Amino acid sequence: MTEEINTTGWDAIEEAVTKLYGEQEPKHYGTAISYMFGGQDPLDGLSAYKAETPSPHWHIVTFGFSELYEKESENTECSGYGFELSFRVARSKDEEEPPAWALNLLQNMGRYVFNSNNIFVAGDYLDANGPICLGADTQLTALAFIRDPELDTLHTPNGRVEFLQMVGITEDELEAMKIWNTRGLLEAGKAEIPGYITDLSRNSMLRVPAVQESVQIGIDRDGSSTGFLYVDQLAWVPGKNGLFKKKPAVLTLGAKQADTVGKLLRGRLLKGKDLSLVSKEISVTLEPALTTEIKTGEGTVHLQLGEADVNELMNKLLPKEGEIRLSSYKDIIIQVVKTNILDQDGKVVSTIG
C-alpha cells in the first residue's frame, strides 16, 4: 500500500487561483526530475491561465517557492520562502500556449532564490542586465515585484504564502524606483501599463510627461526608499599616515553604480537618511553629518558627509571612469572604474564608463 502524499500547500495555491478562474483548465508545466535530484528546474510546476481584463494576458503562477507538501522548515510563520510568484504576460488572440521565455524566466527566478537564499518582497526590483526575454528587441531589462492585486495572502498549515507579481520594467524605470520607490513609480504609471501586464513591445512609461512629472514630485517629496544597495564593484583601501605625507583612503566604485549612488545621495543623505553600499567583502555606509569624516570597523566603513560634500559628490559621481576628490576634505579619493555588463554566458555585451 503506497503512502498518500500530503499536497496541502499545492492544494491551497490551486484553490486560490480557481476562485479567480472557476473551471478554466490551466496550461500546467510540471517538472520531470526534482531539483534536489539533479533536475534543471527548481520549481515543481507553473500554471498559466487565460485572463481577459484589463486586456488579454496569461496569468502564470508558480508552485515551489513555498512548501507544497510536508512542512520541513523550522520557520512556523512562513511556508518555505513565504511567497509564490505570478507573472502577467500580454497574450495575442490566437495564442494557445504561454510564451516559453516567460516560463523560463520564472524558473530562472527559482534558481536565483534557491542558490542565493535571497528572497523577494513587495517593492523589490532586480536588474537583468539585458532583455528579460533573451534575444528580443525589447526595452524591458529589469523586474519589479508587487503584491498580486487579485490573489490574497494564504494561511496554510505550512505557514503564510504571499503572491508576488513580477513586472517587466525598463532601465530608466528601474533607476526611478531606486531614487524614489517601486510602489510610487508603478502607481504613477498604472494608466500606461494597466494590470501591470508585461508587454515586451511597450515603451518606458517615463516618456509620458504626466508620469515623469508625478515621479519627480514624489522624489522631491519622499526621497528614496533604497537604503541598501548591493554593489559588485566596491573596494576600500584605508588611508595611511606617512613620514612626510598623509595618504588618502580610496573608495572604488563601478561606473554604473557611481551614477546610481550620485542620484541616491539627494533622496537619502539630503533627507537625513543613510545609504549602505554592500559587497561580499565590505560594507560602506554613507551618512549625513555636520562635518565630513571616516570611521572604520572590521569589514565596515562609515563615511560621514557634510552637506556641502554631499552636494559636490552628487554633481561629480557620474558613469565615467576617473578620480574624484572633494574640495574641502582631502582624506578620501573616490575612484570610478569601468563596469562591464555580462550576458548569461559571462560574455561582455557592453561597457559603462
Side-chain angles (χ1 to χ4, degrees):
M1 186 176 175
T2 57
E3 187 178 344
E4 190 174 336
I5 298 173
N6 181 346
T7 57
T8 304
W10 186 296
D11 295 343
I13 298 168
E14 275 197 336
E15 185 180 338
V17 189
T18 299
K19 285 180 182 177
L20 269 183
Y21 297 108
E23 296 303 310
Q24 181 186 151
E25 191 69 29
K27 297 286 184 180
H28 185 75
Y29 303 85
T31 300
I33 303 174
S34 170
Y35 199 58
M36 64 185 294
F37 293 119
Q40 295 299 307
D41 297 328
L43 302 176
D44 284 30
L46 301 163
S47 282
Y49 293 80
K50 282 184 175 181
E52 302 301 332
T53 57
S55 61
H57 65 277
W58 292 103
H59 190 186
I60 310 171
V61 178
T62 65
F63 293 76
F65 289 104
S66 63
E67 290 167 292
L68 304 173
Y69 314 109
E70 298 286 348
K71 179 69 177 173
E72 295 180 359
S73 67
E74 295 179 3
N75 187 336
T76 56
E77 288 188 15
C78 291
S79 173
Y81 290 108
F83 68 91
E84 292 289 351
L85 290 179
S86 72
F87 196 26
R88 296 174 191 269
V89 183
R91 172 174 58 85
S92 60
K93 287 182 180 179
D94 56 352
E95 228 174 46
E96 290 301 323
E97 296 281 342
W101 69 265
L103 304 176
N104 291 334
L105 181 58
L106 285 164
Q107 288 289 4
N108 281 336
M109 292 300 103
R111 292 182 191 96
Y112 170 78
V113 172
F114 280 49
N115 294 335
S116 68
N117 280 323
N118 293 332
I119 64 169
F120 297 116
V121 296
D124 280 352
Y125 43 72
L126 184 71
D127 192 347
N129 286 325
I132 61 172
C133 172
L134 289 177
D137 181 16
T138 179
Q139 294 182 39
L140 305 184
T141 58
L143 298 161
F145 300 85
I146 56 171
R147 287 188 179 89
D148 189 302
E150 293 188 311
L151 292 172
D152 295 331
T153 299
L154 299 179
H155 298 280
T156 77
N158 294 338
R160 188 182 71 250
V161 182
E162 186 176 69
F163 290 98
L164 295 179
Q165 183 176 330
M166 199 162 72
V167 185
I169 56 172
T170 63
E171 185 177 5
D172 60 344
E173 290 165 359
L174 174 65
E175 284 300 303
M177 287 177 181
K178 289 178 181 177
I179 59 179
W180 186 21
N181 64 71
T182 301
R183 296 175 189 85
L185 187 282
L186 290 175
E187 180 66 23
K190 65 182 179 181
E192 304 306 313
I193 47 172
Y196 302 122
I197 295 167
T198 295
D199 184 344
L200 294 177
S201 66
R202 79 169 178 88
N203 291 319
S204 168
M205 63 181 96
L206 291 170
R207 292 176 62 173
V208 178
V211 176
Q212 198 170 43
E213 184 181 356
S214 293
V215 170
Q216 192 56 57
I217 289 170
I219 292 169
D220 294 341
R221 180 188 64 233
D222 305 328
S224 172
S225 65
T226 303
F228 175 100
L229 203 63
Y230 185 80
V231 180
D232 286 331
Q233 294 171 281
L234 181 68
W236 176 263
V237 177
K240 292 181 180 178
N241 288 316
L243 189 60
F244 301 107
K245 189 177 180 182
K246 188 173 183 180
K247 193 174 181 181
V250 178
L251 172 64
T252 300
L253 278 174
K256 184 176 181 181
Q257 291 85 11
D259 188 39
T260 301
V261 172
K263 293 172 181 174
L264 281 170
L265 290 175
R266 180 187 302 276
R268 294 298 299 181
L269 273 69
L270 292 187
K271 293 284 187 181
K273 305 171 186 176
D274 296 349
L275 173 62
S276 292
L277 312 177
V278 180
S279 71
K280 291 178 181 177
E281 289 77 32
I282 195 163
S283 169
V284 179
T285 302
L286 309 179
E287 304 171 352
L290 292 175
T291 57
T292 299
E293 63 177 313
I294 299 166
K295 295 182 179 180
T296 59
E298 189 174 341
T300 64
V301 176
H302 291 266
L303 177 55
Q304 299 179 333
L305 293 165
E307 187 173 339
D309 290 325
V310 172
N311 281 303
E312 185 176 358
L313 267 182
M314 278 166 45
N315 294 321
K316 289 184 174 179
L317 275 171
L318 301 170
K320 184 179 179 182
E321 187 177 39
E323 194 175 272
I324 298 171
R325 295 173 183 261
L326 294 170
S327 303
S328 59
Y329 187 74
K330 308 300 182 185
D331 291 347
I332 188 171
I333 293 171
I334 298 172
Q335 188 74 43
V336 179
V337 296
K338 293 183 189 301
T339 297
N340 289 324
I341 305 299
L342 309 178
D343 63 15
Q344 287 193 332
D345 298 323
K347 295 178 182 177
V348 177
V349 292
S350 64
T351 299
I352 299 172

